[in-house]
Amino acid sequence: MTTVRRAVLTLPAAPLGPDNPLPALRAPAGAGAHAVDAPTLAELPRDMARAIGRAPLRSLLPTAVRDGYGRERTPTDLDSIVIENDRLRATVLPGLGGRIHSLHHKPTGRELLYRNPVFQPAAFALNGAWFSGGIEWNIGATGHTTLSCSPLHASTVRAPDGGPMLRLWEWERLRDLPFQVDLWLPEGSDFLYVGVRVRNPHERPAPVYWWSNTAVPEDRRIVAPADAAWHHGYERGLRRVPVPVTEDGTDRSYPLNGAHAADWFYDLAEEQRRWIAALDTDGTGLVQTSTDPLRGRKLFLWGTERGGRRWQEWLTEPGTPGYAEIQAGLARTQLEHLELAGGAEFSWLEAYGPLAADPAAALGDDWAAARADVERTLAGALPRDAVDAAYRAWREGAADSAPEETLAAGSGWGALEVLRGRHDLPGTPFPESTLGPEQAPWLELLRTGVLPPPANGAAPGVPLVAAPWRDMLETAPADPSTEYHLGIAQWHAGDRAQAVRSWERGLKEATACWPLLYCLAVADREDGHPDRAAERFAEASADHEAASGPRDASRHPDDSRDASRHPDDPRHAPRHSADCETVAATLGREAVEALLAAGRPDRARSLWGGLPERARRSGAFRLLEARLLLAEGRKDEARAVFDAGFEVADLGEGAEILGEVWARLTDEPLPYAYEFRMRPS
């Protein structure tokens, strides 16, 4: 019989730490890594170009940047949920985006996924913290979801066959949409079924992005039913090429044949069954298939050059085998977004399980024969009609079923939106019991029309930016806190001039000026005024320093963590922490970087001396110190910082800053420890 039960997974884990306390007014830091240059865009099919240009993110609002993690790992107990029958066992992490950590095939004893032996956050999610391995569910916008390291709601539900099913659900805040992921194992089945639904409860249409990403060992052959693919690299091109053998004679179905990190989006024919497989040298491995709405299939590889190897080590432990990703999405490429009409939904069914193909055919040089053999083997193991029938049974008889036993709780944002919009969402309740301190001010605004200010000395609360909340802010009594949040909502809507006016109005009566000064500094920088931006960043840092008073150096930022969270959970630190040292370090880093960009190393040095000592010892600030020394003409001292060694925990995807600073210091090759470049030189 299939069972669903709670369990504990113990891994070496780095704590997530507090979220960045400053509003995420800018576009995702890694957005450039997924961009397409204008000449390429002009040559693409019109529908693809239109989908690529649909509703790009202006900012990460209302979510926060998650950059408070480090790289010191200790054994940590993680809450998990295990769903298993006599054939498969899936281990799910509800507190970390609902990630499937492991998919174990019992009869063969095989692990079908790449299972990361550690939990190590890195800056790959849209909002920062992300980790590698397993199967992840990506919703929101191009990139890894902002929910990568966040808790989802989880409960048992009746599956279509009457057995237990695990439901995961949340409210995705970038696009303001609820979604659910239902996982079940029919009795005796070798395949894990996954029903997914994204709903738009609003009257307006919404842009939708979904990709299910599966990590597999990179020493596999990736087989997909296509003769061409759209190739995208970190040099921002996108072109259609033949597969598996490209123009240079390289067989791209083997990830280890690629030198540099790249995406290969397979161009599947409209009538083609959707699937992708990763096969070992004996023809066995994992296959993923789905109903037709999940159109896209993709291979991501890190490449064999130094940058790709270094990133692989960064995400796990040296000596650990590398991985690649096979992915499935709603669009042909991850650069595109679909439009979901108001009141409508996207739904589909996926299936994951073992495959044992004929190695002579599946691994041979005849690509057509390899594809045909995998498709024949898949048809025998799980016919296409069976997948379609399972989808209909789930959508018509189980997708709306009420949850039964609660296994984990997500955020309170969905409950707040349901209260505001009076949405009816069968199957995915967002109970008022999940409302917490982050939602409390907004609940007060909803009920009374007044947004209460933060406690004296506290950092501003979490922003909300959707049009209905912006309307309420515009009619609420004006005070500095309300003007701050109204400006953020206006900024998100693209009305930047009005946002600046709101922040300037709030500044006139504010006792704590630094939140408003920070927003105005970002606006100056975005508008091409680096000198004025630098001054305002510095003013914000000085104002916070004056408001917070003498700093207790013995106090650790994590001392303020929420006692209701497990102390050993990597999610233990409070989101949007008001800890003075965290705010001081975050503002100081922004200010020093802005002053350096404005050619003011003297002012940057003065501010540097007042930053928290613990922060200055961290890798990000060691890099900043090297840049400051270089700007001061102290090249030997800057080189000494590199020679002493440091690690920038929140180094972003596609970031080349380490190589750029090193090149200003010396003509020597960049040391391997600092090699994270993901594109050809």
Side-chain angles (χ1 to χ4, degrees):
M1 295 291 292
T2 300
T3 61
V4 177
R5 57 182 172 84
R6 289 189 180 94
V8 173
L9 176 68
T10 302
L11 292 177
L16 281 171
D19 285 1
N20 192 307
L22 305 178
L25 300 175
R26 285 165 288 186
H34 303 290
V36 177
D37 58 45
T40 300
L41 197 63
E43 295 177 357
L44 296 176
R46 292 185 63 183
D47 61 332
M48 179 180 284
R50 187 165 52 249
I52 290 174
R54 179 174 287 126
L57 291 180
R58 295 192 184 99
S59 72
L60 282 171
L61 293 167
T63 62
V65 173
R66 314 201 71 176
D67 58 2
Y69 51 85
R71 293 190 53 79
E72 185 174 333
R73 299 187 287 265
T74 57
T76 303
D77 290 341
L78 304 176
D79 291 336
S80 64
I81 299 172
V82 175
I83 175 170
E84 65 180 318
N85 61 8
D86 61 336
R87 311 288 294 177
L88 281 178
R89 179 172 61 248
T91 302
V92 182
L93 302 177
L96 295 169
R99 183 79 59 100
I100 297 181
H101 174 73
S102 168
L103 188 60
H104 177 79
H105 188 232
K106 295 180 180 182
T108 61
R110 285 177 174 262
E111 172 60 49
L112 300 181
L113 310 176
Y114 166 79
R115 183 176 56 191
N116 197 333
V118 305
F119 172 75
Q120 177 55 64
F124 277 77
L126 286 163
N127 62 337
W130 170 87
F131 64 108
S132 65
I135 305 174
E136 58 176 312
W137 319 110
N138 289 293
I139 180 174
T142 301
H144 296 280
T145 177
T146 60
L147 296 167
S148 293
C149 292
S150 295
L152 305 188
H153 300 281
S155 179
T156 55
V157 188
R158 288 297 100 188
D161 61 359
M165 178 168 71
L166 171 62
R167 173 163 298 160
L168 306 166
W169 74 99
E170 244 303 353
W171 196 281
E172 200 284 316
R173 301 179 68 211
L174 284 182
R175 301 303 194 183
D176 207 19
L177 302 175
F179 70 96
Q180 73 188 75
V181 180
D182 289 354
L183 302 98
W184 77 100
L185 282 167
E187 186 173 355
S189 174
D190 277 316
F191 284 84
L192 174 69
Y193 287 175
V194 182
V196 184
R197 175 165 62 172
V198 180
R199 287 188 274 200
N200 182 5
H202 312 294
E203 294 181 357
R204 55 173 170 77
V208 171
Y209 167 95
W210 183 283
W211 283 79
S212 303
N213 293 5
T214 304
V216 294
E218 66 182 352
D219 60 347
R220 299 292 190 264
R221 188 183 204 191
I222 310 303
V223 184
D227 292 315
W230 292 93
H231 171 261
H232 178 259
Y234 284 80
E235 58 274 14
R236 301 186 181 186
L238 183 66
R239 60 192 182 94
R240 193 173 185 270
V241 298
V243 290
V245 179
T246 51
E247 299 98 325
D248 62 359
T250 303
D251 187 343
R252 301 293 178 175
S253 64
Y254 292 91
L256 288 174
N257 283 349
H260 299 280
D263 302 322
W264 299 85
F265 299 102
Y266 296 104
D267 195 3
L268 275 63
E270 194 66 35
E271 69 282 358
Q272 172 63 52
R273 182 180 183 182
R274 292 18 172 163
W275 58 266
I276 188 169
L279 305 178
D280 207 339
T281 54
D282 60 0
T284 62
L286 172 78
V287 66
Q288 187 271 1
T289 188
S290 72
T291 50
D292 288 353
L294 200 65
R295 174 182 183 179
R297 290 299 185 275
K298 170 193 161 182
L299 162 66
F300 167 76
L301 57 94
W302 283 104
T304 56
E305 290 293 322
R306 297 197 329 156
R309 295 299 95 191
R310 186 70 180 103
W311 273 117
Q312 294 253 34
E313 293 178 0
W314 188 254
L315 297 171
T316 180
E317 292 181 332
T320 302
Y323 75 96
E325 288 185 358
I326 55 174
Q327 307 179 9
L330 285 173
R332 285 163 295 186
T333 74
Q334 284 179 330
L335 310 178
E336 301 169 77
H337 294 72
L338 304 185
E339 185 175 279
L340 180 58
E345 69 173 49
F346 289 137
S347 61
W348 63 91
L349 185 125
E350 305 179 41
Y352 297 81
L355 190 80
D358 176 6
L363 305 179
D365 294 335
D366 187 334
W367 181 242
R371 286 174 43 187
D373 186 73
V374 171
E375 189 145 7
R376 176 191 57 78
T377 306
L378 174 59
L382 186 64
R384 187 176 189 174
D385 290 347
V387 175
D388 293 338
Y391 166 75
R392 290 191 298 271
W394 167 74
R395 183 61 194 86
E396 297 167 6
D400 287 344
S401 298
E404 298 175 354
E405 180 188 359
T406 299
L407 300 177
S411 77
W413 296 113
L416 184 67
E417 292 301 331
V418 167
L419 281 173
R420 183 201 57 75
R422 300 179 181 178
H423 302 302
D424 181 23
L425 300 169
T428 55
F430 293 94
E432 290 188 40
S433 60
T434 60
L435 293 167
E438 291 180 328
Q439 293 81 40
W442 298 99
L443 187 62
E444 185 75 9
L445 175 66
L446 182 64
R447 290 175 172 170
T448 69
V450 178
L451 182 71
N456 194 22
V462 183
L464 284 178
V465 296
W469 294 107
R470 188 173 71 250
D471 293 342
M472 281 184 265
L473 288 168
E474 287 176 344
T475 57
D479 62 21
S481 176
T482 302
E483 296 285 14
Y484 166 83
H485 283 288
L486 175 58
I488 290 176
Q490 292 164 334
W491 179 272
H492 174 74
D495 192 352
R496 295 190 169 187
Q498 190 59 53
V500 168
R501 286 192 283 271
S502 295
W503 292 327
E504 288 175 340
R505 283 196 305 268
L507 196 59
K508 294 177 182 178
E509 298 181 9
T511 53
C513 298
W514 64 265
L516 293 153
L517 286 168
Y518 170 79
C519 293
L520 289 167
V522 173
D524 282 334
R525 181 159 58 188
E526 295 292 299
D527 288 342
H529 304 296
D531 293 333
R532 194 166 66 198
E535 285 301 320
R536 276 181 161 158
F537 278 124
E539 286 181 51
S541 182
D543 181 76
H544 177 266
E545 180 72 16
S548 59
R551 190 180 299 115
D552 181 358
S554 66
R555 186 177 180 221
H556 191 277
D558 287 350
D559 288 347
S560 61
R561 63 185 170 225
D562 184 346
S564 68
R565 297 176 182 267
H566 296 294
D568 293 328
D569 189 321
R571 296 175 290 114
H572 70 263
R575 291 190 290 272
H576 306 282
S577 168
D579 180 86
C580 288
E581 188 168 317
T582 302
V583 176
T586 307
L587 278 174
R589 183 178 178 182
E590 291 268 11
V592 172
E593 289 182 344
L595 288 165
L596 290 178
R600 295 289 307 279
D602 52 341
R603 186 76 185 278
R605 172 59 65 185
S606 175
L607 194 149
W608 175 266
L611 296 180
E613 182 180 352
R614 184 177 10 254
R616 285 186 290 162
R617 293 197 302 264
S618 70
F621 282 80
R622 293 288 285 158
L623 173 60
L624 190 55
E625 181 183 19
R627 293 171 59 195
L628 176 55
L629 289 166
L630 192 56
E632 294 171 326
R634 299 155 67 181
K635 183 178 290 189
D636 290 344
E637 293 173 73
R639 169 65 185 264
V641 173
F642 275 80
D643 291 341
F646 60 86
E647 291 184 329
V648 182
D650 63 338
L651 192 69
E653 178 183 6
E656 298 182 353
I657 184 65
L658 290 170
E660 291 168 357
V661 175
W662 179 262
R664 295 176 62 193
L665 295 172
T666 177
D667 293 332
E668 298 174 20
L670 182 65
Y672 180 69
Y674 304 118
E675 180 60 273
F676 292 93
R677 292 171 294 191
M678 299 175 70
R679 59 178 177 170
S681 300

